[in-house]
Amino acid sequence: MTDLRLIITPPEPGDWHGRLDVLEALEAAGWTGDAGMPLSIVRHPSGAVWAVANESDDSGLDCPNGAVIEFPGDTPSLVIIAACLAATHPNP
């Protein structure tokens, strides 16, 4: 198993970058941007899909097992990243 080390630099106060930090972290972990909306939707080879829903930073994760997880806009980025990574590495 490969270790994943992420460095997430928060934006300056007043800057709005949506969930760009989540997007960049997932891309570093092997997820790829959707052909039609690469800055809003990323996909993992396992079948997991994470997408930003609106400008309020609400987002959602479709898991390979069919579960759907919704994240309100105030969910910390690290929680979303951890959930996305966990969805792609199910326990045996």
Side-chain angles (χ1 to χ4, degrees):
M1 183 180 303
T2 304
D3 290 341
L4 177 64
R5 300 179 194 278
L6 301 173
I7 299 173
I8 299 173
T9 305
E12 293 295 321
D15 287 348
W16 184 81
H17 293 283
R19 291 294 189 171
L20 187 59
D21 53 348
V22 175
L23 177 84
E24 289 175 347
L26 294 178
E27 285 180 339
W31 297 56
T32 56
D34 185 77
M37 300 184 76
L39 296 178
S40 299
I41 302 171
V42 289
R43 300 175 185 278
H44 188 268
S46 69
V49 178
W50 175 79
V52 177
N54 55 43
E55 289 185 9
S56 296
D57 288 341
D58 297 338
S59 63
L61 170 65
D62 291 346
C63 301
N65 68 1
V68 176
I69 303 169
E70 294 181 9
F71 303 104
D74 61 351
T75 304
S77 295
L78 289 176
V79 171
I80 297 171
I81 294 165
C84 289
L85 296 178
T88 62
H89 295 91
N91 292 331

